[in-house]
Amino acid sequence: MFYNLHVLFQCITKLGKTNGSADLPDQTKDSVLHETKESDPEAESDLSMDDLVKLVEEKEELLKAKHKEIETMQDKVLRTYAEMENVKGRTKREAENSKKFAIQNFAKSLLDVADNLGRASSVVKGNFSKIDVSNDTAQVVPLLKTLLEGVEMTEKQLGEVFKKYGVEKFDPINEPFDPHRHNAMFQVPDASKPPGTVAAVLK
């Protein structure tokens, strides 16, 4: 910086000597010095201590504002991530529940089929002994016996499939009535059993 000014003043001195005067007008000097400051980056570093402290404080405030902005953005990102995890978990639970309830409805529909098979085999078994085999000229009895065996096998296989998927048959006949497990349809007078005993199972 000193060197540049020294050269500049040498130029000014030479100009002055050429024109026959020692100094340039004040306005010309000022403009020359101003141009020198603009062209010389070291001139800007010639700030007072107060100016430097002010500049540092401004930069610190700006840095604090940027840190706050970063913290806000981090908070938003974490909240969004947490919300996405919640949505993911909720969607997974809903998918599992829909599968489970779909299977439950399907199993409930099949329970009626199992009940009807059970009723059919019990009715045929009860009346099978009443058939007069001697009058069976058309050989219907063996056919009925085969049909009964087929129905019983189907009922048994269906029961095994139910058991495999957690649906088990229970027969509460002669057990005390439990409103949490049983649904009463009607009452039957029966002196041989204590009051509140399950007498028959419809489903």
Side-chain angles (χ1 to χ4, degrees), residues 172-197:
I173 290 180
N174 297 326
E175 291 180 8
F177 175 75
D178 182 1
H180 299 292
R181 297 177 70 200
H182 311 138
N183 187 15
M185 303 299 290
F186 51 84
Q187 289 186 346
V188 178
D190 191 347
S192 64
K193 295 176 183 174
T197 304

Side-chain angles (χ1 to χ4, degrees), residues 49 158 179:
M49 195 64 173
L158 188 59

